Amino acid sequence: MNNSLKKKMLSLFPVEVMKFDLNNVYEHWDAVAEDLQGASETEGGITEGNVKTSFIEDWHEHSRVLPLWEELDSLMLAAVSNYCYINSIENVEITDSWYTIMNKGSRVHRHRHEGSVISGTLYIDIPDDSLGLAFVNPTIPYRMNEFVNNSNPSNTYAHVETVKKGDLLLFPSWLEHFVPPIDYDNRISISFNTAYPIFKEIHNG
């Protein structure tokens, strides 16, 4: 094609994922990690390997670990409100929250968060520059006849975001994601879901 032709590249319909560094506003990560080491656990069906979690796969029953730390709970809600404001989404409230402790060789399978608007994962204890979440490219199923000769953000299967202790990832709950197998122990995170206030009443009823 003639390079002198006027052209403009349109990058349409982006998926908004926000990353917060909370280390300048919160410092009690070790205390939270210690609390979670002794917390109760349930079976998490989307995990594999040596994993301890309070995730509950039941619409009528929920895990709520964030309220154990009032300041942390408030920070999560403030971050969610910021996400809603920037993305012109009606305000939502946190419905349920659960912890996950992963060890070497464990993983979380590809999934999305049904019945939620915005989801988040907060990293309580994790080595710097570790694998956080791998977000699946939602356009892949619709690229029916493409053969690509180079990888770019538009055609790659997934994006893996690296994180450190105190990082928070917020993302639309419909966006599929997973955690690849890890090669270290004691990876501690807290995840949560949200809903609009009227649906939260139904959800919790």
Side-chain angles (χ1 to χ4, degrees):
M1 180 178 288
N2 190 333
N3 288 330
S4 65
L5 291 175
K6 290 184 177 180
K7 55 186 178 290
K8 179 172 67 173
M9 181 70 76
L10 301 177
S11 183
L12 301 176
F13 313 121
V15 178
E16 301 295 344
V17 175
M18 293 182 69
K19 185 177 183 179
F20 297 82
D21 181 349
L22 301 178
N23 286 290
N24 62 329
V25 293
Y26 193 80
E27 59 183 20
H28 307 297
W29 306 112
D30 291 343
V32 175
E34 185 176 348
D35 289 344
L36 291 177
Q37 291 285 4
S40 60
E41 62 182 296
T42 61
E43 291 294 328
I46 60 171
T47 63
E48 180 181 315
N50 185 4
V51 180
K52 178 181 177 182
T53 180
S54 63
F55 177 69
I56 299 174
E57 290 187 287
D58 187 334
W59 181 261
H60 302 290
E61 188 177 357
H62 314 284
S63 173
R64 295 185 178 88
V65 298
L66 276 176
L68 295 175
W69 310 278
E70 185 176 352
E71 184 182 359
L72 205 56
D73 194 23
S74 297
L75 283 172
M76 295 303 97
L77 189 56
V80 168
S81 296
N82 185 252
Y83 182 101
C84 290
Y85 175 77
I86 290 175
N87 293 290
S88 300
I89 299 173
E90 289 288 336
N91 276 330
V92 294
E93 298 180 1
I94 295 174
T95 53
D96 51 338
S97 53
W98 61 95
Y99 74 86
T100 304
I101 302 176
M102 301 176 64
N103 293 292
K104 187 174 182 178
S106 61
R107 60 185 294 188
V108 177
H109 294 290
R110 175 174 169 171
H111 66 286
R112 63 181 184 179
H113 292 216
E114 301 286 346
S116 176
V117 181
I118 299 161
S119 295
T121 298
L122 172 66
Y123 295 91
I124 305 298
D125 191 7
I126 192 170
D128 288 351
D129 298 320
S130 295
L131 301 183
L133 290 179
F135 296 103
V136 178
N137 184 345
T139 71
I140 292 298
Y142 306 102
R143 295 175 176 266
M144 299 171 288
N145 298 306
E146 291 185 1
F147 288 89
V148 299
N149 54 26
N150 192 25
S151 178
N152 61 53
S154 294
N155 62 36
T156 187
Y157 168 74
H159 168 79
V160 183
E161 183 64 22
T162 59
V163 295
K164 65 181 183 308
K165 180 191 297 186
D167 280 348
L168 167 67
L169 294 176
L170 290 182
F171 52 94
S173 300
W174 56 261
L175 182 61
E176 291 187 309
H177 52 284
F178 60 95
V179 179
I182 63 171
D183 59 0
Y184 54 91
D185 289 330
N186 209 45
R187 178 190 192 272
I188 304 177
S189 62
I190 293 177
S191 300
F192 57 86
N193 286 331
T194 65
Y196 297 112
I198 186 171
F199 293 112
K200 181 183 178 183
E201 293 177 9
I202 298 172
H203 189 72
N204 292 341

